[in-house]
Amino acid sequence: MKLFDLDTWEEIFFTITRNKARSLLTAFGVFWGIFMLIMLMGGAQGLQKELSRNFEGFATNSGFIATNVTSKPYKGFQQGRTWSMNDHDVIRIRKQVPETDIVTPSISLWGTIVYNENSISGSLKGNYPEYSHIEEPQISIGRYLNDIDILKKRKVCIIGERIYDSLFPNKENPCGKFIQINGIYYQVIGVNSATGNISINGAAETSVTIPFTTMQQNYNLGNTIHLLCYTVKKGHKINQIEEKVESTIKQAHMIHPDDQQAIIHVNTEAMFSMVDNLFLGVKILGWLVGLGTLLAGVIGVSNIMMVTVKERTTEIGIRRAIGARPRDILQQILAESMVLTIIAGFIGILFAIFSLNIFEVTTNTSYFQISFGEAIGACILLLILGSLAGLAPAYRAMTIKPIDAIRDE
């Protein structure tokens, strides 16, 4: 018996279709198993990418510090004292914490933005150009802040996407136009189209960014800063140096070293790590559920093939009597098992991909489709499981002797 002979394959398909009800039942188990596996893989991948969009544009190794009232008395200062950071704290962190890379301050106010008869409320942020290394802007029109804007305290601004849509509904180029914010006019130099959902002093799409020095001067903020933002150098982690950063700030402002309330610290690195670990668990769970369902289907194939071999005892015995070798019987049963598994599996893969595509179209997303490599991996898995499913029945068929078949008859 030659495995790749046309007559052999005709015989295989004839055997499979001879008992349609049993073959369909067996195929459905494999179909449902691979369908569930692909759907769970695509779903976990899509959910991870959807959630990751919330972190778009943010440095994964960044930390933020803000102030709060003290909870412990220290060196003559009473509990419940209100305090604030200043420009000198930025210099202190740069000098005393060499593990930091970018250290920059940020200040913000809430205001009403007006252009002609259009108006919208939003956040007004004062930043340095290097803040773009922490929260990366997506400049669709114009440019971002530069050092000259800071040095000359220019009254220029970058507006968020939603503010642009509200103030300029005709989609005209806003660069060079003047908008009014809390009674002060600023010239628009760019539009930031970033849409990340992390809100640091206000969401990017509803914020207006102006030079840090300009905001300090225009709103009489002195040298006060509202937020101290920093990133760490390669080889370091935020949780390794955040205590050192906090200790430096506390020492400069006479805050008790054990005061856990006076400083608010946000560690985006920990947030990213938590999300990654969460979805690693989701992926593992998805694989376990999908493989469990698929294995149940494959075991069903093996059981049905065992029943088929038992029913075909006489036929197999006659084959052996007229010269069929054990290897020929082995190839026959394995081929039947693999063909049944692969056909049902391929249909399951195609149906799962089609279902994921329909889901992407209806939800207007593009993250839930599995990759080509994952599809190839699923096909290889089917080949392996199809072979394993046929091993026990094939071994049972191979051991049938002509005399036993005649006696059974």
Side-chain angles (χ1 to χ4, degrees):
M1 175 183 176
K2 296 181 180 180
L3 185 60
F4 297 99
D5 185 58
L6 181 60
D7 293 335
T8 302
W9 286 105
E10 288 179 353
E11 184 177 349
I12 290 172
F13 281 105
F14 173 75
T15 304
I16 292 174
T17 56
R18 183 166 54 185
N19 193 332
K20 294 181 180 179
R22 183 182 297 164
S23 298
L24 286 174
L25 181 62
T26 305
F28 180 77
V30 177
F31 164 83
W32 182 250
I34 198 68
F35 174 79
M36 286 293 296
L37 178 61
I38 298 298
M39 290 296 291
L40 289 170
M41 288 169 56
Q45 176 178 280
L47 287 174
Q48 183 176 15
K49 289 185 178 180
E50 276 291 317
L51 189 57
S52 297
R53 289 183 60 190
N54 296 324
F55 300 94
E56 276 186 0
F58 265 87
T60 58
N61 63 337
S62 59
F64 303 86
I65 285 181
T67 64
N68 196 11
V69 295
T70 60
S71 61
K72 291 185 178 182
Y74 188 64
K75 291 188 177 181
F77 292 98
Q78 294 184 350
Q79 175 183 343
R81 171 169 62 99
T82 301
W83 65 286
S84 61
M85 293 183 289
N86 55 56
D87 293 340
H88 301 294
D89 290 316
V90 177
I91 300 173
R92 290 189 186 99
I93 298 301
R94 287 173 179 169
K95 288 183 177 181
Q96 299 182 35
V97 189
E99 297 89 348
T100 56
D101 187 15
I102 301 295
V103 183
T104 183
S106 179
I107 48 182
S108 64
L109 294 172
W110 189 259
T112 301
I113 304 104
V114 180
Y115 178 72
N116 292 337
E117 298 179 354
N118 301 317
S119 65
I120 185 175
S121 296
S123 177
L124 178 63
K125 299 180 181 181
N127 289 330
Y128 280 93
E130 56 262 32
Y131 184 79
S132 61
H133 295 287
I134 294 176
E135 185 179 358
E136 183 181 359
Q138 296 180 9
I139 304 300
S140 56
I141 303 175
R143 65 173 178 86
Y144 193 64
L145 300 175
N146 59 35
D147 293 333
I148 303 299
D149 298 327
I150 298 294
L151 183 63
K152 295 189 175 182
K153 302 179 181 179
R154 289 173 172 171
K155 292 182 180 179
V156 294
C157 68
I158 296 94
I159 60 177
E161 184 73 20
R162 189 178 301 177
I163 293 177
Y164 169 64
D165 292 338
S166 299
L167 300 185
F168 303 91
N170 295 326
K171 301 296 182 181
E172 59 187 293
N173 189 339
C175 294
K177 305 289 195 306
F178 286 87
I179 62 175
Q180 187 186 63
I181 307 173
N182 294 344
I184 300 177
Y185 284 92
Y186 296 89
Q187 186 178 31
V188 178
I189 59 171
V191 176
N192 181 11
S193 298
T195 57
N197 291 329
I198 293 183
S199 177
I200 301 297
N201 282 342
E205 58 185 356
T206 57
S207 298
V208 176
T209 303
I210 67 174
F212 182 87
T213 51
T214 303
M215 189 164 178
Q216 278 188 322
Q217 175 181 271
N218 289 355
Y219 299 97
N220 299 317
L221 296 176
N223 67 346
T224 298
I225 66 175
H226 298 155
L227 203 64
L228 191 148
C229 319
Y230 65 94
T231 62
V232 294
K233 295 177 180 177
K234 290 183 178 180
H236 299 279
K237 294 183 177 295
I238 294 292
N239 55 12
Q240 294 174 342
I241 70 163
E242 60 183 354
E243 289 186 8
K244 190 173 181 180
V245 173
E246 290 185 11
S247 177
T248 302
I249 299 296
K250 287 177 178 179
Q251 185 177 1
H253 293 274
M254 301 296 181
I255 297 172
H256 196 288
D258 298 327
D259 193 334
Q260 301 298 318
Q261 178 180 298
I263 289 181
I264 301 172
H265 197 120
V266 177
N267 183 348
T268 59
E269 187 178 64
M271 295 168 61
F272 276 98
S273 178
M274 181 178 64
V275 171
D276 288 341
N277 291 335
L278 171 65
F279 277 97
L280 176 61
V282 170
K283 285 182 177 179
I284 292 174
L285 179 61
W287 271 96
L288 290 176
V289 173
L291 285 176
T293 308
L294 182 58
L295 285 174
V298 171
I299 290 172
V301 172
S302 182
N303 290 335
I304 294 297
M305 292 300 297
M306 287 290 284
V307 174
T308 302
V309 167
K310 187 172 183 179
E311 290 179 349
R312 295 165 58 192
T313 299
T314 303
E315 175 190 332
I316 294 172
I318 293 173
R319 285 176 178 270
R320 292 292 306 275
I322 62 176
R325 295 170 297 177
R327 187 178 64 182
D328 297 330
I329 304 299
L330 177 67
Q331 290 177 345
Q332 171 83 21
I333 302 302
L334 281 178
E336 291 176 15
S337 174
M338 290 179 63
V339 167
L340 191 60
T341 303
I342 291 170
I343 290 177
F346 280 3
I347 294 174
I349 292 173
L350 293 175
F351 190 71
I353 292 173
F354 177 75
S355 299
L356 289 172
N357 189 56
I358 293 296
F359 182 79
E360 287 183 341
V361 171
T362 54
T363 58
N364 196 26
T365 58
S366 58
Y367 306 114
F368 290 86
Q369 200 61 264
I370 65 169
S371 66
F372 179 75
E374 289 172 327
I376 294 297
C379 295
I380 294 174
L381 181 63
L382 283 173
L383 289 172
I384 295 172
L385 293 178
S387 301
L388 293 176
L391 282 178
Y395 179 78
R396 169 74 175 83
M398 195 171 56
T399 58
I400 295 175
K401 297 180 180 179
I403 189 64
D404 295 330
I406 293 172
R407 186 181 298 115
D408 185 70
E409 181 66 20

